[in-house]
Amino acid sequence: MGKKYGEKHKVGYYECDVTGHMTQPAMLAVAIEISEAQSAALGRDSHFVQSLGVTWIITNYQITYNRLPRALETIAVSTMAMEYNKFFCYRNFWLEDEAGNELVKIEAVFALMDLNTRKVATVSDEIIAPYGSEKVKKIRRYPKLAKVEAEKGASQPYRVRFYDIDNNHHVNNSVYFTWIFDVLGYDFLSSHKPLSTAIRFEKEVEYGNQVESHYQIVETAEGTIETRHEIRCGDVICCEANIVWQKA
């Protein structure tokens, strides 16, 4: 187990949707900001990492929700680099209310990408050592995501804009969540709340690309609703996700 780092955050109106709850992209942005603050405090900020010819990317999120943060609520956001192996680093984030109750837990999988080849690079002990996380040999395996059935799904196109691109020169992870949630529409999003999200990023999407956000809504035997998602660039699946919802 590594070193834990946290800060308080007051949820702004601009971070919330029409229901007054914090949006998924806003939660991820705050979580990543906290991890970057920890990295800077440990002398491992983005400038240091990129000086070694690599940069961080995120390959997976597993998110569980007890309650979404509300506008003007002060929450505690904390993170810990849990463990790492040759290719992947596993970092957890927690969003808690002022009483210490867990609101949202985010499990993220990070990897290093070579800036020249754009391929996954070996994780260097030099980068990871200050975090105090455990080195393991095992690579975590996550359950397969349910696919969108083409004959039962629908889709909506999006074009990648300048402000969708981050300093790694590809689409920021939070933008995928916008594409994934947006296709579900006002009526669904205003009447349902998420219980869990599993998302996997497969391929980079770059400026000017045209993508299609495919989705399917499925009622489960447990009485919840599962939405299945694929972000495609042509015939290539760049991102896929499964989200479990219940009536708000």
Side-chain angles (χ1 to χ4, degrees), residues 196-216:
S196 66
T197 295
I199 184 166
R200 180 165 60 245
F201 303 100
E202 300 281 1
K203 300 287 184 181
E204 291 185 278
V205 177
E206 300 174 335
Y207 175 71
N209 286 163
Q210 177 90 18
V211 302
E212 287 191 339
S213 180
H214 293 255
Y215 70 100
Q216 179 184 359

Side-chain angles (χ1 to χ4, degrees), residues 78-225:
S78 58
T79 185
M80 182 186 294
M82 308 299 288
E83 58 186 31
Y84 72 103
N85 55 47
K86 186 177 180 180
F87 294 110
F88 301 105
C89 301
Y90 305 100
R91 177 184 281 276
N92 287 359
F93 300 87
W94 299 269
L95 279 62
E96 299 174 334
D97 66 15
E98 291 189 282
N101 299 306
E102 185 179 290
L103 304 178
V104 180
K105 181 180 179 181
I106 304 169
E107 299 176 59
V109 182
F110 286 75
L112 286 168
M113 181 180 72
D114 187 291
L115 288 169
N116 292 319
T117 66
R118 311 299 287 182
K119 294 181 179 180
V120 172
T122 302
V123 174
S124 164
D125 290 344
E126 179 184 5
I127 293 175
I128 298 301
Y131 297 93
S133 54
E134 180 185 2
K135 187 172 186 178
V136 297
K137 291 184 178 180
K138 186 176 181 181
I139 294 177
R140 294 187 189 180
R141 304 295 180 187
Y142 294 97
K144 278 192 172 184
L145 297 180
K147 302 288 187 180
V148 175
E149 299 173 85
E151 68 278 6
K152 297 180 181 179
S155 66
Q156 185 169 312
Y158 295 89
R159 180 165 292 280
V160 179
R161 306 163 302 178
F162 177 82
Y163 291 110
D164 294 334
I165 303 297
D166 62 21
N167 61 1
N168 286 330
H169 301 287
H170 60 208
V171 170
N172 186 276
N173 284 340
S174 65
V175 177
Y176 289 90
F177 279 88
T178 299
W179 293 335
I180 285 168
F181 280 72
D182 183 59
V183 292
L184 298 173
Y186 185 101
D187 290 344
F188 184 94
L189 293 173
S190 60
S191 61
H192 293 79
K193 59 182 181 181
L195 298 177
S196 66
T197 295
I199 184 166
R200 180 165 60 245
F201 303 100
E202 300 281 1
K203 300 287 184 181
E204 291 185 278
V205 177
E206 300 174 335
Y207 175 71
N209 286 163
Q210 177 90 18
V211 302
E212 287 191 339
S213 180
H214 293 255
Y215 70 100
Q216 179 184 359
I217 300 175
V218 179
E219 293 186 10
T220 71
E222 293 76 23
T224 57
I225 293 174

Side-chain angles (χ1 to χ4, degrees), residues 223-244:
T224 57
I225 293 174
E226 180 183 71
T227 56
R228 303 170 182 175
H229 303 267
E230 292 174 356
I231 303 299
R232 301 180 190 169
C233 191
D235 294 331
V236 177
I237 296 177
C238 301
C239 171
E240 52 186 349
N242 291 168
I243 307 172
V244 178

